[in-house]
Amino acid sequence: MISITPVKEQTPNEYDEFFKQERDKEELFEEPWVKEHGYFLELDGKQLGFFVLYPINESKVWLRRLVMREQTNPAILILAFDWVAEKAMEQNYNELYVHVQDENTAPLLEMNRFKPAYEVPMQNPSGVDWFMKEL
């Protein structure tokens, strides 16, 4: 069974185990919003992925990070978007936003019922394409 655990409930060793490369840990855990809004996806006690749900306002949330283990089955990656959406709905958000810098990511989002967002939810980051999923 999948469980979603907040980063702030993890010990340093638990998230160090997930982020084995020092460069990744520094980049992903340097910002205070990562610990405040970050979650681990766990299956049978094993960490499969990590994501950040960054609030935009009371009804909109931004999937600011999604990192999966290197050997993750592609089907699990597709399910991860559903699990993230479920967590966002639990927190009473109505819209889930994602930005992409790589056009190859767009088909994956569209498979997960994301649509291009024509109204940019926030100006930072700039120069990216935004996608939105109604929850």
Side-chain angles (χ1 to χ4, degrees):
M1 174 160 181
I2 194 75
S3 63
I4 298 175
T5 308
V7 168
K8 51 189 160 192
E9 293 180 11
Q10 301 283 316
T11 67
N13 288 340
E14 288 171 320
Y15 60 75
D16 282 348
E17 175 61 28
F18 184 79
F19 297 103
K20 290 185 188 287
Q21 295 178 354
E22 194 64 33
R23 179 182 53 83
D24 288 344
K25 281 192 295 191
E26 286 178 14
E27 180 183 325
L28 290 168
F29 285 101
E30 191 172 295
E31 301 289 340
W33 49 262
V34 171
K35 289 186 178 178
E36 186 174 343
H37 304 291
Y39 299 89
F40 280 104
L41 292 167
E42 298 174 348
L43 182 61
D44 298 326
K46 182 181 177 189
Q47 295 172 327
L48 295 177
F50 164 81
F51 66 95
V52 173
L53 284 177
Y54 187 84
I56 297 171
N57 63 34
E58 67 269 348
S59 66
K60 298 176 183 180
V61 67
W62 172 17
L63 174 57
R64 193 159 180 177
R65 295 244 199 275
L66 176 61
V67 178
M68 301 299 287
R69 283 206 181 268
E70 288 181 15
Q71 303 299 324
T72 301
N73 181 326
I76 296 289
L77 177 59
I78 292 170
L79 288 171
F81 283 98
D82 288 335
W83 297 325
V84 168
E86 286 175 21
K87 187 64 177 175
M89 285 189 310
E90 256 179 49
Q91 296 176 355
N92 297 317
Y93 291 107
N94 299 323
E95 297 175 354
L96 176 62
Y97 286 85
V98 177
H99 76 272
V100 296
Q101 295 172 320
D102 177 8
E103 63 188 40
N104 295 325
T105 307
L108 177 63
L109 293 171
E110 290 168 350
M111 283 177 34
N112 283 283
R113 298 176 303 281
F114 282 85
K115 294 183 168 93
Y118 298 106
E119 291 183 30
V120 177
M122 58 190 331
Q123 295 304 317
N124 188 11
S126 60
V128 298
D129 293 326
W130 287 90
F131 286 77
M132 188 267 292
K133 179 177 185 173
E134 290 186 31
L135 304 175

